Amino acid sequence: MAPSKRKTVASAPAKAAPKASASKDPFKTKKSRAPARQAENVLTPPEDVAEAVDAFRAAQDQAKFHEGEATVHKNTIINYASEEYARRLFTGEGSGFKIQGVETMAMYVVQDASAGISEEDVEEFTDRWGKKAAEDLIVRDFASIRFNEAVLEANYDAVVAALQTLPPEVLENLFKPMAMKARPGAADLARRHVKKAEELREIIRHLKLRNYIR
């Protein structure tokens, strides 16, 4: 009788020692897997649904046409309202107001906030209105931040190492966008830096104050 062959079980490889946890890189973000793109399916619905699709598309096209037409009329109102607002603000009356149409009415809304102001905008503003006006009316917006990419790349390891010295709660909340914005109450403060209402209207435009109609 032939001797039976014994099976030998290979011993499992020893587990590698866990790597020492490296310091957290604050610039790294989690990788997100893009979902696999599924093949597009085209369904042929009942006749009433097919007609609804065509009607929906027709309504969209019509809405786009009327949207462009509305923009023309909106610009006419905005030009008038911004001029009137600057004139009223120049005399100390800085609130919004209603504009009477033939049968309807529009509201000019005044907000004490501005859209983001870039460094180029600040330079242009300073050239036009002077350094004092820029310091009085424009402040840093710590809702945004921007790095000098060349400096960051050249000193990346040093920057990361330096940031690791900050407390975790500071590090987690540090990176937020930073730009410029108009100081709260800038519209009223701007009166000190102009001599007439036309200039006040222009400085408000440069400050990108969010005034609109509804």
Side-chain angles (χ1 to χ4, degrees), residues 11-183:
S11 58
K15 291 184 179 180
K19 295 181 180 179
S21 59
S23 58
K24 184 179 177 182
D25 188 337
F27 296 100
K28 283 190 176 179
T29 56
K30 294 181 180 179
K31 294 182 179 179
S32 59
R33 292 184 178 180
R37 190 172 182 179
Q38 298 180 351
E40 293 183 0
N41 295 322
V42 179
L43 304 182
T44 302
E47 185 177 355
D48 60 333
V49 177
E51 291 175 352
V53 170
D54 293 341
F56 172 69
R57 287 302 182 200
Q60 278 190 323
D61 292 339
Q62 188 177 20
K64 289 178 182 178
F65 169 78
H66 288 298
E67 183 179 359
E69 187 178 13
T71 299
V72 174
H73 301 312
K74 178 181 177 180
N75 289 340
T76 299
I77 301 169
I78 284 288
N79 288 337
Y80 167 80
S82 60
E83 183 177 342
E84 286 298 308
Y85 172 67
R87 185 181 61 79
R88 289 158 60 96
L89 179 62
F90 192 72
T91 62
E93 189 177 355
S95 60
F97 47 83
K98 296 179 180 179
I99 306 169
Q100 180 65 57
V102 178
E103 298 178 353
T104 57
M105 189 176 294
M107 169 74 77
Y108 186 66
V109 180
V110 176
Q111 288 191 323
D112 187 19
S114 72
I117 301 175
S118 68
E119 291 184 8
E120 291 76 13
D121 292 331
V122 175
E123 290 178 4
E124 181 183 343
F125 185 93
T126 305
D127 290 342
R128 173 65 179 85
W129 304 104
K131 185 177 179 180
K132 183 65 169 59
E135 291 176 347
D136 286 350
L137 303 175
I138 300 175
V139 294
R140 288 253 173 221
D141 180 8
F142 292 100
S144 88
I145 192 169
R146 188 178 72 180
F147 292 102
N148 184 320
E149 294 85 356
V151 174
L152 179 61
E153 183 177 3
N155 302 275
Y156 190 84
D157 292 339
V159 172
V160 171
L163 289 172
Q164 296 300 329
T165 64
L166 296 173
E169 61 274 12
V170 174
L171 191 59
E172 290 174 3
N173 296 292
L174 177 62
F175 296 101
K176 294 182 178 179
M178 186 176 72
M180 309 294 282
K181 66 178 181 180
R183 183 185 300 277

